[in-house]
Amino acid sequence: MRNAMIIDGKDNVIVAIEPIAKGDMVTYLCGGQEKTLTALEDITIYHKLAACDIAAGEPVVKYGEHIGIAVSDIKAGAHVHVHNVEGHRENLDDKA
């Protein structure tokens, strides 16, 4: 049974669609294929977890868009939230 979902194929985070306990198998559909990984932490419903390892300084991608920058290395299956992601805003003044 799927307990998480990926929003866009470019995303490197998945969203828990039910509470997930540390050690549980996380199952989600990506590109028509069912994928699994082990949750490294308890994940609250609707919170994000890393679908793959994300290195410090790399963008966190959800909805196919950069939503922040990893402030530390994040292992696949780890909770992705304010404790390990820094907000990222584009400089819209430079856009013409």
Side-chain angles (χ1 to χ4, degrees):
M1 181 172 85
R2 294 184 192 114
N3 54 3
M5 63 183 289
I6 197 160
I7 308 297
D8 185 285
K10 294 178 277 212
D11 294 356
N12 59 6
V13 295
I14 53 182
V15 178
I17 56 174
E18 63 184 46
I20 299 172
K22 178 179 179 178
D24 280 356
M25 290 304 298
V26 178
T27 305
Y28 61 100
L29 195 62
C30 181
Q33 290 187 307
E34 191 166 88
K35 296 191 175 194
T36 61
L37 56 83
T38 302
L40 301 181
E41 306 171 61
D42 292 338
I43 309 295
T44 304
I45 188 171
Y46 307 129
H47 277 229
K48 300 173 296 301
L49 59 154
C52 58
D53 290 345
I54 304 170
E58 287 187 356
V60 175
V61 182
K62 182 179 176 188
Y63 309 117
E65 302 291 334
H66 294 188
I67 62 165
I69 302 293
V71 296
S72 59
D73 292 342
I74 306 171
K75 295 286 186 190
H79 189 203
V80 177
H81 201 52
V82 297
H83 66 285
N84 55 10
V85 177
E86 180 178 84
H88 172 71
R89 288 185 45 91
E90 291 183 74
N91 184 352
L92 300 177
D93 293 334
D94 291 341
K95 307 266 180 181

